[in-house]
Structures are given as structure tokens and as C-alpha cells.
Amino acid sequence: SMFEKFQPAKADPILGLSKLFQVDPRAEKIDLGVGIYKDDNGITPVMSSVKKAEARLLQEQNSKAYVSLAGAELFRDQMRDLVLGDAVAADRVATLQTPGGTGAIRQIFESMKILNPDCTIWISDPSWPSHMNMATHMGFKTRGYPYFNNETRLVDTAAMLNSFQDLKGGDLLLLHGCCHNPTGANIDMDTWKAITDLVIEKGAMPFIDIAYQGFGDGLDQDAAPLRYMASRVPEMFIAASCSKNFGLYRDRVGIAMMIAKDASTAELVQGNLAVLNRLNYSFAPDHGAAVVGMILADADLRAEWMAELEQMRRAMLTIRKDLADALRQQCNSDHFDFIAHHRGMFSRLGLNAEQVLSLREDHGMYLVGDSRINIAGLAGKRHLPFAIAVAKVATVS
Ligand code: LMR
């Protein structure tokens, strides 16, 4: 039969872990898997600014008729400004509302299918698994570029820049705008400048995926590398997500942006983007995007949202410091100090598969297989039992 041609589905490396966690009966278990923010009680709350905007929407919305194919203009304009600031003229930017940041990645890949199907898509090694999975699923050639130095747990800048010498004109270079997933190690500003020079020299197409703006060093600070590059290159793709910084995970709110060399080219792009939504699923979901548009455009709601986001960011920074301190004590070594220097929601600890398995089976600590932890999963002083467990499985000097 037709359906039997399917191969049994592989468990998702990140979402599969949540299932295992749910059926674990141990009370002391800790979920450090999927990237969702959690408070001290392990809850992923709806932000108060979001609740208020939703209440207002419920009051004011008098129709569920379709919005435009490209999505709500208020949302798209506000998001363009939130991400890009004044780095480029607004009329050079085409925007498309998408179902989540993943939807934006998909639509950008769809565009490359039209613009340069023979391109190689360059993806950091490691990266968020869906980057590579989606690119290969769509039949693109891919190349992983060196990113993480396993010894220092920092970006391997020299190896990365060296590999970019092989970039070809029209290749797509996918970079994480901030808060690298899964490592937590981020490219410094000097290196961003060097990458920008290379992209221009080689005629490669930069694609910045920014899913965690506001989770690293602050809203503007996290966007600074992206804005720098945008101010210099003629063309660029951006995928942005509101899943994390607005806590709107399940509502699927994202945006694809394409910076064109001038306003008339941007208009050409904009028309094609709307068609891409039509061809794939017609309209992106409206509710979450309407909430984001309302929050960003209203001074009070925006201030409240920014304060809530800043509180989350600071909570994660505190956990980083507390965990690094606890590990220094438990392991009697500064081996894990890098955790305090990493930024964003994740850190890759550099443990091997056996150690990750032992943490899960013997201690109820659920890390992704590559030893990525969700920092927010350690809220509520969970960093203490975690540090004790890590010290038991890891032999460090
Ligand atoms: C993660 O990396 O955990 C998040 O981006 C959630 C996801 O979709 O994988």
C-alpha cells in the first residue's frame, strides 16, 4: 500500500525528550530539554502584557474575516522596527507574517528554491537540528561550517572564517543572530564585521535567524550584529520568532524579512512573498501576531512587555552564574566557567552521550543528546541538584 512506503518516524531530538520526561515517575526529575522559558515553579507563564492585549482584542475585534496574504501590516511594521531599528530604510524591507520562526525559515528556503535552487546552504555545526533537516528535506545542498570549539566551549572563530573562504556567489549563509542554539557561544562583533566583509566579497547571501532577541544582552544589543550586517550588505534574509520573547510558542508568530537593494526591488519581493504564503498555506495565523502588533504599538503595553522580558533575561543570567559557581564547588574546577559567559537560553556542556544518558537514567536530568541544557529549566534553585549530578558523571580536571 501507499502508506507503507513511509519509514518509521525518528523521534525528534528535542521534542522526543519531552515525551520521555512526562512518563518518568521520579519526583526529583528536571526537564532541561525543549527551549521554553520556565519560572521558579517550572511553569511557562503567559506574559501579563500578552494577557492584557488578548483581553483588549477580545473586546475590540469585531470580525474574523481574512487579513491580507502577507499578514497584518501593524505586526509586520512593528517587527521590522523591533529587529532592524533604523539600520536600513523601511522601504527596502519586504515582510511576511509566518506561522512561527520556523515558518519564516521555510518561506526563505522556498524563495531560494526559486532564486537559486543549486545553492549550498551553509549551516553552523552544530545548529538547531531543524535547520539542516529542513534544508535537506527540501533537496538543497548543505555544508556545515565549524563553529564550536569543544575545548574552550567558545566559537572557533579562526576555523569558521577559514571555511567561509569557500563561499560561492549565491550561496546561502545561515547565521544565528544571537543566543546560538544549541551552544550558547556567540560570535563577537569583530568577527561579525569580518563575516560581513567576506559575504560582500564572495557575493554570498546572508540569512540571519533571530529566535531569541532579548534573551541575551538586551533587545537592542542582541540585534546589533544583525543591524550592522544589514547596514552594509545589499541583500539579506531574516527569520524572526515571537515564540520566546513574547512567550507565544503555541500561537505560532513569526516573520520573514527580505532586505532588497532598493525600494522598487523590495516591492517586487513583497508581491512574491504574498504569493508564497498563498501557495503554501494561504494565511498565517492571526491571533498571536495581532497581540504582538498591539503590544509593540501601545506605549504602556510595550513598556510592560519590555520589563517582563528583561526580568526573564536577568533570571537566566543569574542561573548561569549560580550554576557555574555550583559546578566550580562540586567539581573543584573552573572547567564549567564558560556557562556564565554563554548567552541566551542554552549552553552546550560538552558531555558525551554516555554521560548524558547517565544523567537521565540515574539522576532524572533530561538534557538533549548533545548535552545542551535549557538554562531556564534550572529555575527555582534546581541548579544545585543538577550540579551535584553533573559532578558525579563528569570527570573534569
Ligand atoms: C528548541 O530548540 O528547543 C526550540 O527552538 C524549540 C524547538 O522547536 O525545537
Side-chain angles (χ1 to χ4, degrees), residues 146-150 152-162 185 191:
Y147 186 84
F148 192 60
N149 181 323
N150 273 316
T152 62
R153 271 88 173 167
L154 302 173
V155 179
D156 194 342
T157 302
M160 177 177 68
L161 288 177
N162 191 40
T191 307

Side-chain angles (χ1 to χ4, degrees), residues 20-284:
L20 290 177
F21 179 81
Q22 274 159 20
V23 299
D24 187 333
R26 287 173 288 187
E28 68 278 13
K29 64 183 177 175
I30 301 180
D31 182 5
L32 303 170
V34 65
I36 49 174
Y37 181 78
K38 291 180 216 172
D39 64 16
D40 287 355
N41 302 315
I43 306 289
T44 306
V46 181
M47 292 169 91
S48 148
S49 50
V50 166
K51 276 280 186 207
K52 286 181 187 165
E54 287 186 309
R56 198 184 291 176
L57 211 58
L58 191 64
Q59 279 294 316
E60 291 174 2
Q61 193 172 63
N62 52 18
S63 175
K64 294 279 188 191
Y66 296 118
V67 186
S68 82
L69 269 179
E73 218 168 282
L74 178 70
F75 166 76
R76 290 186 289 124
D77 288 353
Q78 290 291 336
M79 282 301 292
R80 179 196 62 216
D81 294 349
L82 183 76
V83 173
L84 280 162
D86 56 8
V88 290
D91 65 4
R92 279 182 57 205
V93 190
T95 54
L96 186 71
Q97 186 180 317
T98 56
T102 310
I105 296 167
R106 173 75 195 201
Q107 294 297 52
I108 287 165
F109 285 172
E110 291 276 353
S111 307
M112 283 306 276
K113 270 275 170 232
I114 300 167
L115 300 170
N116 189 12
D118 292 329
C119 74
T120 295
I121 301 184
W122 291 61
I123 297 171
S124 66
D125 178 16
S127 192
W128 181 51
S130 286
H131 283 154
M132 189 58 93
N133 291 341
M134 289 167 74
T136 47
H137 171 67
M138 291 180 73
F140 284 108
K141 286 184 291 225
T142 59
R143 176 162 162 177
Y145 59 85
Y147 186 84
F148 192 60
N149 181 323
N150 273 316
E151 299 299 313
T152 62
R153 271 88 173 167
L154 302 173
V155 179
D156 194 342
T157 302
M160 177 177 68
L161 288 177
N162 191 40
S163 81
F164 290 163
Q165 289 299 337
D166 292 345
L167 278 168
K168 301 273 178 305
D171 277 357
L172 188 69
L173 175 57
L174 174 45
L175 298 151
H176 298 226
C178 64
C179 306
H180 186 264
N181 178 5
T183 67
N186 293 295
I187 297 169
D188 63 44
M189 201 59 197
D190 282 341
T191 307
W192 276 104
K193 290 179 180 167
I195 297 172
T196 306
D197 290 340
L198 271 169
V199 160
I200 293 169
E201 179 194 321
K202 306 280 182 189
M205 186 75 177
F207 169 14
I208 300 191
D209 183 5
I210 184 157
Y212 296 87
Q213 189 184 356
F215 269 35
D217 291 309
L219 272 172
D220 287 326
Q221 292 88 335
D222 289 348
L226 175 156
R227 290 175 187 170
Y228 170 81
M229 194 180 263
S231 74
R232 288 201 48 211
V233 297
E235 298 182 319
M236 177 163 140
F237 288 113
I238 299 166
S241 171
C242 301
S243 293
K244 328 282 168 166
N245 52 11
F246 286 86
L248 283 165
Y249 310 89
R250 70 174 65 163
D251 283 344
R252 311 310 297 141
V253 190
I255 184 166
M257 297 183 228
M258 303 191 188
I259 302 174
K261 70 181 197 323
D262 54 32
S264 64
T265 315
E267 226 170 285
L268 174 73
V269 176
Q270 189 64 60
N272 279 273
L273 283 182
V275 173
L276 271 188
N277 262 7
R278 188 63 168 159
L279 289 173
N280 283 298
Y281 41 70
S282 287
F283 300 87

Side-chain angles (χ1 to χ4, degrees), residues 282-293:
S282 287
F283 300 87
D286 170 71
H287 177 79
V291 165
V292 168

